[in-house]
Amino acid sequence: MKKYTVEISGNEFEICYNTRAMTELEKICDNLSNIGEWLNDSKTDSEKFKKLCNVITILINGAVFRHNAEIVLGLANGEKKPFVEYDDLMCIITPAEALKAAENVFKCIGESVSFKAPDGEEPDPDLLDTESEKKD
């Protein structure tokens, strides 16, 4: 799995779209297949940035949850990391940083939901146009 990061206030934060993050995102936008539409369906720019910052916070905390769980389960060494609070993120991130982070946010989500049919099964025809499903 490729690791994605976002840069905020000169610091890199790892982001992760895991099952925990997926569940949290579903709470705020109902249908994850329309997350881009949900972000764009904002009456003001500030509302759009609030939604984007909420998504960024959830993905940063997805990486923190994974890191902390790996330590608890003995899969990694180190110390637990603190979670990022939405209000704290809103205080340090600029709109330009949020827009730049959005690129990796959508790459992270997109890579995590890619699907490949198990051996011997026919691939979904709707997925054949995706890069991961194309035959070499």
Side-chain angles (χ1 to χ4, degrees):
M1 172 195 302
K2 181 177 178 183
K3 290 192 178 190
Y4 288 96
T5 61
V6 294
E7 187 173 328
I8 301 167
S9 201
N11 297 291
E12 277 196 353
F13 293 84
E14 185 179 349
I15 58 175
C16 177
Y17 182 73
N18 52 18
T19 306
R20 177 75 184 232
M22 178 183 68
T23 303
E24 293 299 314
L25 286 174
E26 282 180 340
K27 289 179 186 176
I28 62 171
C29 72
D30 290 329
N31 187 352
L32 290 175
S33 64
N34 296 327
I35 193 167
E37 206 173 288
W38 172 78
L39 283 168
N40 288 324
D41 188 27
S42 303
K43 292 179 175 67
T44 64
D45 285 343
S46 64
E47 183 181 338
K48 184 182 207 173
F49 281 106
K50 286 179 187 179
K51 288 179 177 181
L52 180 56
C53 286
N54 205 353
V55 172
I56 294 167
T57 302
I58 289 169
L59 294 180
I60 290 172
N61 285 333
V64 172
F65 273 115
R66 186 187 68 217
H67 170 81
N68 292 348
E70 288 175 347
I71 290 172
V72 168
L73 295 172
L75 303 173
N77 295 320
E79 295 187 22
K80 288 185 174 183
K81 295 181 181 181
F83 294 99
V84 173
E85 297 291 332
Y86 168 78
D87 287 335
D88 293 337
L89 182 76
M90 289 287 288
C91 289
I92 64 169
I93 194 168
T94 66
E97 288 172 325
L99 286 175
K100 187 175 179 185
E103 182 178 336
N104 276 353
V105 163
F106 287 106
K107 283 180 183 177
C108 177
I109 292 171
E111 180 182 285
S112 298
V113 295
S114 63
F115 174 79
K116 185 169 174 104
D119 290 338
E121 289 188 30
E122 290 295 316
D124 184 331
D126 294 333
L127 295 175
L128 287 176
D129 290 334
T130 63
E131 286 297 319
S132 64
E133 287 295 310
K134 289 182 180 177
K135 302 279 186 205
D136 291 327

